[in-house]
Amino acid sequence: MSVTYLDAIRSAQEKALASDPTVFIYGQDVGRFGGAFKATKNLAERFPGRVIDSPISEDAMVGMAVGAAMEGMRPIVEMQFADFSTVGLNQMLNHAATTYWRTGRTCPMVLRLPSGGTPGSGPFHSQSMEAIYSHYPGIVVMTPATVEDAYTMLLEAVEMPDPVVFCEHKLLYYHLKSDHLPESAVPALRAQVVRAGRDVTCVTYSAMVHEAVAAAKELVEEGYEVEVVDLRTVKPLDTDTILASVARTGRLLAVGESWPWGGASAEVVARVAAEGFELLDAPPKRLNAKDTPIPYHPNLWAAHRPTAVRIAAALREVLRY
Amino acid sequence: MAIRAAAAAVRSIQEGTDARMERLGRAMLRARLLEEKLGSLYRAGRIVGGVYLGRGQEALSGAGGVALRKGDIFAPLIRDMAGRLAFGEPMEDALRAYLGSRLGPMKGRDGNIHRGDLSRGILPMISHLGAMVSTLAGVLMAKRMKGEKRKVGLTCAGDGATSTGSFHEGLNLAAVERLPLVVVVADNGYAYSTPNERQFACADLVDRARGYGVQGHSVDGTDPWVCAEVLQGAVDRARGGEGPQLVVGKLLRLCGHGEHDDGLYVDSKIQRSERGRDCVQVMESEMKKRGSGKEWQSWRAEAQAEVEAAVIKVSAEPVPDPFEEDWSATKSGSEAEESGSS
C-alpha cells in the first residue's frame, strides 16, 4: 500500500480530529465535498459538525479561527489555494500573529495553504507565500517536502500553541508516495540534512528539495558531492543546521521556488554571510523564480522556476569559483 | 387577585428598568468623567500616542454593556468606554493601557483603546475596522461547539467600519451560522472627517440588515432610555436563538476623532439638530424632571471619586522595562529562533 503526500495531510487531519475534541476544520468546500483537492475527504461524515463549509470569505475565515482559538479551540483553516490567502492576510498577520505578544494568551490555529506551481496553474493558483508570513513576528511557517513530514509536521502544527502557516506543495500532492505513514518524527522546527555531501551545501525547502536532490545526483558524475539541507520549517529558521553544513562544505547555494526579492533563501544567505563568513570559500549564491507573475504555459513555467537543471548549473558556478 | 398580580408585574418591570437605567446612567457618567480626565492627561503630556474618546456615544455604547451578562463576550471599538465599564472592565485597566502600566492586561505592549482581557470576556481590538466581527463570530462558534448555550457576543462598529470588506464578510458569516451576535453600529455621521454621503449610498445603514438576512433595529443614540430598551431587546433576541442582530444608532461624536483633532469639519447644522444632543445631558435633565436629580448628583460624585482614586493608583504603577521584557512573539519558536538571530 502506498501513501501520497495528500493522503498524509488527510490522515493527519483525521488523526487530529480523532484525538483532540477541540480540533475542527473550516474552509471552502471542505465538508461533504471533501475539499478542492480532497484533503478532507470523508472527514465531515466521520466527524459531524467539525468539518465545516465556509462562505468565500478568506478574511472572515481566518478571523473566525482567531476567535475560536482564543476560546480554546484548535481550528485548521483550509485555503483553497495559497494565493487566496492574501485576502485573509490582515486577520493572520495583524490578529492571529499579534495575539500572544499583546495579550499573553496563545492563538493556536493552523492555516493550510495549498502552495506552489503546477503546470497550467498560472499567476493566481501557483504562489508560494512563505516569505510574506515569515516576515511578520508571531507565526510559525512550515514547508514540508516529504510524505512523512506532511504527516508528522501537520500533527505537530495542530498541537503547537502558536499560529502555524502550513505550506503544502500541490505538485507533491499526488505524485509523491511513501510505503506507510511514519511512527516517529524529527521535530518540526529542525532542518535536516537529506543528502550528505562534502563540496557544497544546497539549502532549500518544499518541492525544491526534490529538484535539489536530482541536481545533486547529476553532479555525482562530475565528481561533486552536494549536501542538501531541507529547512522543513522556514520560520523559525534553524540556522545551526545550516551553519554546520556550510562548515563542512565551505560553499552555499540557497534555493527557493518563490520570488527573488527577500524571502527564505535571502534570509539563509544573509545569516550565513553574517554569522558564517569565515566558513565560506566562495560567495554564497541564491536561486529563485524569475521576478514576474507565474506564467500559465508549461514552456514558460518550466523556465520561470528553479529546476534540477538550473540548480545544477548554479551549483557548478559556486563549485568552480 | 389578577389585578394585584398585574400590578406587581408592572412594578417589577419598572424596578428592573430602574435598575438597568441606574447601571447605564452610572456607566455613562463614569465614562464621561474618566474620558475628561484622559483628555487632561493627554494635554498635560502624560499619555504617549493617541487618545480616542466616546463623548456623545455613552448611551448607545453603555446600553450594550448593560444588556450583556457575565459569561457573554464583548468586542468593543474605539468609542466604547461606557460599554466597557458597564460590562465590567475596571477603570484602572483603561488607565493602565493609556499610561502604559506593566500591571495592565496589555503590559505596555499595546495601548489606549487596543486593550482587552480575555479572562473577562473582552476582546482586545485590532485597529483594522470590521475585523472583530468575524473574530467574535469565531468565539461564538467555539462556544456552540463546546456546548455552551445562551451566550451572546456584542461588538461595536462605526459608520465607516461598515464600508470594509471585513465587516461584510464577518456579518455574512455570522448570518450563515445564525450566531447569537449583536453588531452595534454607532452612525455618528463622520468617519474621521468623511461624512456619511462619501461613505455609503443607501438611505440608512439599518436597511442592510435585510440584505444579510439578519434582524435590524434603529435607535436614537442620544436617548438613553430608548438605547437601553433596544439593546436589551436585541441581546435577548440573539440569546433566544433569533440569529444576528444589527442595531444602528444615530448620534454625533461630540469631540474630534482623537484628542489631536478639533473636529471643525462637523456641520454646525447637525450639531444643533436632535442628532447633536448630548446623551449625558439628556439623561441628567430627564432625571431632574422625574425628581431624581439628587440621585444623579450622587452618581456623579461617586464616579468622580472613582476616577481620582484610579488615576492616583495607576500613576504609581511600574512601566515596562525593555531589559526585563520577554521579546518572544511566539511561544514555541522563540528558542530555535534565538540561536540563529544576531
Side-chain angles (χ1 to χ4, degrees):
Chain A
M1 200 196 117
S2 73
V3 185
T4 64
Y5 183 93
L6 183 64
D7 293 334
I9 287 161
R10 191 199 155 280
S11 297
Q13 293 183 105
E14 185 172 28
K15 189 176 180 193
L17 284 162
S19 59
D20 184 347
T22 66
V23 173
F24 71 98
I25 299 175
Y26 194 58
Q28 295 157 25
D29 306 300
V30 299
R32 203 146 49 139
F33 185 66
F37 295 99
K38 301 296 171 202
T40 57
K41 193 179 169 188
N42 295 332
L43 295 183
E45 285 79 359
R46 193 171 159 205
F47 303 98
R50 294 173 62 197
V51 185
I52 307 163
D53 283 326
S54 72
I56 304 178
S57 300
E58 285 81 6
D59 176 272
M61 287 158 64
V62 182
M64 193 286 270
V66 171
M70 285 175 175
E71 188 59 29
M73 302 296 282
R74 288 183 179 264
I76 301 172
V77 174
E78 178 183 299
M79 284 286 145
Q80 202 146 74
F81 284 82
D83 316 48
F84 303 151
S85 78
T86 52
V87 183
L89 274 180
N90 180 50
Q91 287 286 7
M92 198 64 195
L93 304 180
N94 288 309
H95 213 171
T98 63
T99 294
Y100 174 65
W101 170 259
R102 292 169 69 230
T103 70
R105 295 266 290 242
T106 55
C107 186
M109 57 173 287
V110 178
L111 185 66
R112 285 186 39 237
L113 303 185
S115 308
T118 51
S121 292
F124 310 119
H125 294 75
S126 302
Q127 292 171 26
S128 301
M129 305 289 294
E130 70 280 353
I132 286 172
Y133 288 102
S134 297
H135 184 68
Y136 275 73
I139 307 177
V140 172
V141 183
M142 298 186 183
T143 52
T146 65
V147 175
E148 290 76 10
D149 278 354
Y151 181 72
T152 61
M153 288 172 70
L154 183 49
L155 282 170
E156 201 172 328
V158 173
E159 286 174 7
M160 271 191 180
D162 299 304
V164 178
V165 173
F166 195 79
C167 305
E168 45 197 58
H169 204 294
K170 302 193 298 289
L171 195 65
L172 308 178
Y173 270 167
Y174 311 105
H175 305 303
L176 200 62
K177 288 178 183 148
S178 187
D179 292 338
H180 54 82
L181 292 170
E183 310 248 311
S184 62
V186 179
L189 303 189
R190 285 273 163 266
Q192 207 178 1
V193 175
V194 293
R195 184 186 170 89
R198 55 164 198 268
D199 300 319
V200 59
T201 296
C202 182
V203 176
T204 187
Y205 54 97
S206 191
M208 284 297 131
V209 169
H210 305 284
E211 301 290 334
V213 168
K217 285 177 182 163
E218 196 179 317
L219 289 181
V220 170
E221 292 168 21
E222 297 165 38
Y224 295 118
E225 293 294 338
V226 180
E227 181 147 301
V228 179
V229 175
D230 177 3
L231 290 175
R232 301 171 77 240
T233 292
V234 298
K235 176 84 177 277
L237 192 62
D238 179 3
T239 314
D240 290 349
T241 300
I242 299 165
L243 286 172
S245 176
V246 174
R248 284 189 289 274
T249 65
R251 290 164 202 268
L252 171 69
L253 174 70
V255 180
E257 181 179 332
S258 54
W259 290 304
W261 207 99
S265 63
E267 188 66 27
V268 168
V269 168
R271 291 199 187 190
V272 170
E275 296 168 40
F277 188 72
E278 280 113 12
L279 306 173
L280 289 166
D281 298 324
K285 191 173 171 64
R286 292 172 64 211
L287 183 63
N288 286 87
K290 292 188 193 301
D291 196 19
T292 69
I294 301 153
Y296 156 72
H297 196 278
N299 290 353
L300 298 179
W301 178 66
H304 181 266
R305 67 181 196 127
T307 55
V309 173
R310 288 181 59 210
I311 294 170
L315 285 168
R316 280 185 204 103
E317 278 185 47
V318 178
L319 285 160
R320 289 170 190 168
Y321 175 81
Chain B
M1 194 66 196
I3 291 172
R4 201 183 297 168
V10 168
R11 205 162 46 240
S12 137
I13 290 169
Q14 184 58 43
E15 280 164 9
T17 308
D18 287 349
R20 190 163 76 207
M21 289 314 295
E22 177 172 349
R23 282 183 63 204
L24 177 55
R26 283 178 181 274
M28 289 169 64
L29 275 167
R30 291 165 74 217
R32 175 65 59 92
L33 295 172
L34 175 58
E35 291 200 332
E36 281 176 358
K37 177 60 81 176
L38 287 172
S40 316
L41 291 170
Y42 174 77
R43 286 185 292 279
R46 285 192 53 200
I47 293 175
V48 182
V51 171
Y52 304 90
L53 306 183
R55 191 180 179 87
Q57 303 193 182
E58 292 94 338
L60 182 69
S61 174
V66 167
L68 294 175
R69 294 180 193 158
K70 203 161 188 241
D72 289 339
I73 300 284
F74 184 39
L77 205 73
I78 69 171
R79 305 196 197 284
D80 290 308
M81 184 70 89
R84 288 168 175 275
L85 295 174
F87 186 58
E89 178 178 87
M91 212 177 247
E92 287 88 351
D93 278 0
L95 282 159
R96 285 176 178 129
Y98 273 106
L99 295 173
S101 162
R102 199 160 66 183
L103 306 185
M106 313 312 281
K107 300 182 171 64
R109 290 176 168 188
D110 205 344
N112 52 54
I113 68 280
H114 304 96
R115 67 184 187 274
D117 187 342
L118 296 171
S119 65
R120 290 180 196 278
I122 303 173
L123 300 187
M125 59 167 279
I126 64 168
S127 299
H128 305 68
L129 296 176
M132 301 314 291
V133 180
S134 63
T135 305
L136 186 52
V139 173
L140 296 172
M141 276 182 76
K143 285 191 179 296
R144 186 160 74 189
M145 282 185 257
K146 292 194 291 186
E148 281 185 44
K149 293 201 169 72
R150 299 183 66 78
K151 299 284 169 60
V152 172
L154 185 144
T155 189
C156 304
D159 42 287
T162 67
S163 303
T164 64
S166 239
F167 182 90
H168 164 73
E169 288 193 9
L171 187 47
N172 179 62
L173 183 155
V176 167
E177 294 290 343
R178 222 179 144 70
L179 295 169
L181 173 71
V182 179
V183 178
V184 182
V185 176
D187 178 3
N188 64 20
Y190 293 84
Y192 205 150
S193 77
T194 303
N196 279 172
E197 61 265 28
R198 299 301 309 162
Q199 198 65 239
F200 54 86
C202 57
D204 192 312
L205 288 171
V206 80
D207 296 344
R208 292 188 180 173
R210 200 173 160 206
Y212 287 110
V214 303
Q215 295 178 15
H217 313 272
S218 292
V219 57
D220 173 357
T222 68
D223 184 330
W225 279 268
V226 177
C227 285
E229 195 185 321
V230 171
L231 264 299
Q232 190 65 57
V235 167
D236 290 348
R237 281 162 186 264
R239 201 182 307 282
E242 293 185 40
Q245 309 286 315
L246 178 65
V247 179
V248 178
K250 285 248 171 60
L251 41 75
L252 194 65
R253 148 171 47 95
L254 303 178
C255 52
H257 167 59
E259 284 305 272
H260 58 277
D261 170 32
D262 55 23
L264 286 177
Y265 43 79
V266 175
D267 188 341
S268 61
K269 270 196 281 216
I270 304 178
Q271 285 168 329
R272 289 193 302 271
S273 73
E274 289 274 288
R275 189 176 184 172
R277 295 194 302 177
D278 177 351
C279 59
V280 174
Q281 281 175 17
V282 168
M283 187 149 187
E284 180 174 6
S285 57
E286 185 60 30
M287 292 272 292
K288 280 181 182 158
K289 218 184 290 174
R290 294 181 187 194
S292 305
K294 276 197 177 143
E295 213 178 339
W296 177 264
Q297 284 312 322
S298 74
W299 296 349
R300 174 183 284 276
E302 281 177 40
Q304 191 64 55
E306 188 187 356
V307 170
E308 298 301 337
V311 171
I312 290 167
K313 181 179 175 189
V314 174
S315 296
E317 290 180 357
V319 291
D321 179 345
F323 295 102
E324 287 179 18
E325 184 69 39
D326 174 8
W327 292 98
S328 310
T330 59
K331 201 169 182 181
S332 59
S334 54
E335 287 158 5
E337 185 71 7
E338 214 167 80
S339 69
S341 65
S342 48

